[in-house]
Amino acid sequence: MAWTDYSSAPAPGTPVCEAAQVGDVLSLSVTTDRGAFPMLILRAGGDLRAYVNACPHQYLPLDYRSDRLVSADGTMLMCSAHGARFDILTGAAVAGADCGLDAVPVRIVDGMVVIGG
């Protein structure tokens, strides 16, 4: 599934948050007239990366049971509901899921993270 397949997917150019807010991983919801869109934004490999905050195993947010989402070695995102693991740079499934996280294009404009496109 692509991020644009979600009924609540924001339009390109939609502001998400201030870039300074993004540390290791930030879980947030972007609300527009289309509804609330769950996202994870993180800094990895020197860049910002963003994914839909929905584990493809059961479509629960990765932080459903805990806000500890990054593996100890910093290479994976982990689903707190059932332990699936995803490559932090690509969102690809590493263990516990048949497919990866849905990447969301983002960019920084005037200090704000916005939906790319």
Side-chain angles (χ1 to χ4, degrees), residues 14 25 37 65 81 109:
T14 300
V25 62
F37 185 71
R65 291 191 175 147
V109 176

Side-chain angles (χ1 to χ4, degrees), residues 30-52:
V30 178
T31 303
T32 67
D33 59 346
R34 296 179 181 181
F37 185 71
M39 290 181 65
L40 294 174
I41 303 174
L42 53 110
R43 293 189 187 274
D47 294 318
L48 280 182
R49 304 203 187 278
Y51 302 102
V52 176

Side-chain angles (χ1 to χ4, degrees), residues 39-113:
M39 290 181 65
L40 294 174
I41 303 174
L42 53 110
R43 293 189 187 274
D47 294 318
L48 280 182
R49 304 203 187 278
Y51 302 102
V52 176
N53 188 5
C55 179
H57 179 249
Q58 296 177 333
Y59 285 94
L60 292 171
L62 269 67
D63 55 348
Y64 181 71
R65 291 191 175 147
S66 172
D67 61 358
R68 295 206 46 181
L69 300 178
V70 179
S71 64
D73 66 2
T75 64
M76 291 179 278
L77 289 170
M78 304 177 300
C79 176
S80 65
H82 74 283
R85 296 177 184 269
F86 306 91
D87 182 275
I88 203 165
L89 297 176
T90 65
V94 174
D98 292 333
C99 57
L101 300 174
D102 298 316
V104 179
V106 292
R107 56 192 170 97
I108 298 176
V109 176
D110 296 327
M112 291 291 292
V113 177

